[in-house]
Amino acid sequence: MTNKGKTILYIAISLDGYVAGPNDEIEWLNRYSNVDFGLKEFLSRVGAIIMGRSSYDLGVELKWFSQFNYGVPIFVVSHEQPVLINKDAEFIFVTNGIETAHRQAKSKAGDKNVWIFGGANIAQQYLKSGLIDEISIGITPTLLGSGKRLFDNIGKHIELALIKTKRYEGDLVELNYRIKL
């Protein structure tokens, strides 16, 4: 039997649980731009990425997709397709829901994993729907005090089993959990 890959939420948060400030500020993550926190190794096992429209728009604005080659199709869950689509990666806009995006991403990924990139809203939708198998969360030693919390609006109790922990330079800690069924 072949492994069809997992769906993994791989994201960084502040110690108080925020993925961004109140106005989508993420500059507090800049101190980790030169830290090897395992992204290349993680990406070697990823066959497709799913993100929300806000993450796509922010990524285009901050030139994430021209600065780093993700090397896999990126499915963008959105209410509407933009008039112009950024050409720095293979973007596929999905306007009919997270389940459709997930099905398409799993198909493209083959036996590799699907990365739920973020942001908070898309992560919450996928957690609520039960489509995530694992959570890999980088916790930064930063207290933002307000902003967009990762685990708001899930609306249900989810049990997790710790798979591993790892500490990186800059006091960044990664926690990996499996979702218990």
Side-chain angles (χ1 to χ4, degrees):
M1 184 172 168
T2 56
N3 176 11
K4 285 303 250 175
K6 298 174 186 159
T7 300
I8 302 172
L9 172 61
Y10 182 82
I11 198 164
I13 65 169
S14 62
L15 184 60
D16 53 351
Y18 296 99
V19 296
N23 299 304
D24 290 324
E25 305 93 336
I26 59 166
E27 68 278 346
W28 52 277
L29 289 169
N30 291 345
R31 71 186 263 201
Y32 299 101
S33 61
N34 294 319
V35 173
D36 178 8
F37 52 88
L39 178 62
K40 286 182 183 173
E41 180 196 346
F42 175 77
L43 266 175
S44 73
R45 298 184 310 273
V46 169
I49 296 170
I50 297 174
M51 68 176 54
R53 178 64 185 267
S54 295
S55 290
Y56 166 82
D57 289 341
L58 188 61
V60 168
E61 178 186 329
L62 297 177
K63 303 189 183 331
W64 290 343
F65 311 114
S66 61
Q67 293 173 9
F68 189 83
N69 179 10
Y70 292 92
V72 297
I74 301 173
F75 293 82
V76 182
V77 179
S78 178
H79 294 291
E80 56 190 38
Q81 186 158 330
V83 176
L84 296 173
I85 298 175
N86 181 281
K87 302 289 187 214
D88 291 327
E90 179 187 349
F91 293 105
I92 301 161
F93 279 77
V94 180
T95 58
N96 49 350
I98 63 167
E99 290 87 0
T100 300
H102 188 253
R103 199 169 34 257
Q104 290 177 3
K106 290 288 276 184
S107 176
K108 280 275 194 183
D111 63 351
K112 289 190 165 192
N113 297 326
V114 173
W115 173 13
I116 304 297
F117 184 97
N121 183 290
I122 206 78
Q124 292 163 12
Q125 289 180 60
Y126 274 94
L127 282 165
K128 192 174 193 173
S129 72
L131 293 171
I132 292 178
D133 300 306
E134 292 182 6
I135 298 173
S136 181
I137 191 161
I139 301 175
T140 66
T142 305
L143 298 173
L144 292 182
S146 65
K148 298 194 175 162
R149 284 193 184 275
L150 179 58
F151 297 118
D152 277 354
N153 306 312
I154 295 170
K156 68 179 188 176
H157 182 96
I158 300 172
E159 289 288 332
L160 308 171
L162 184 65
I163 299 169
K164 72 175 185 174
T165 63
K166 187 163 184 179
R167 181 179 177 176
Y168 296 97
E169 57 183 287
D171 295 327
L172 177 69
V173 175
E174 182 181 346
L175 302 175
N176 298 96
Y177 291 98
R178 178 181 45 80
I179 306 279
K180 288 184 176 182
L181 299 177

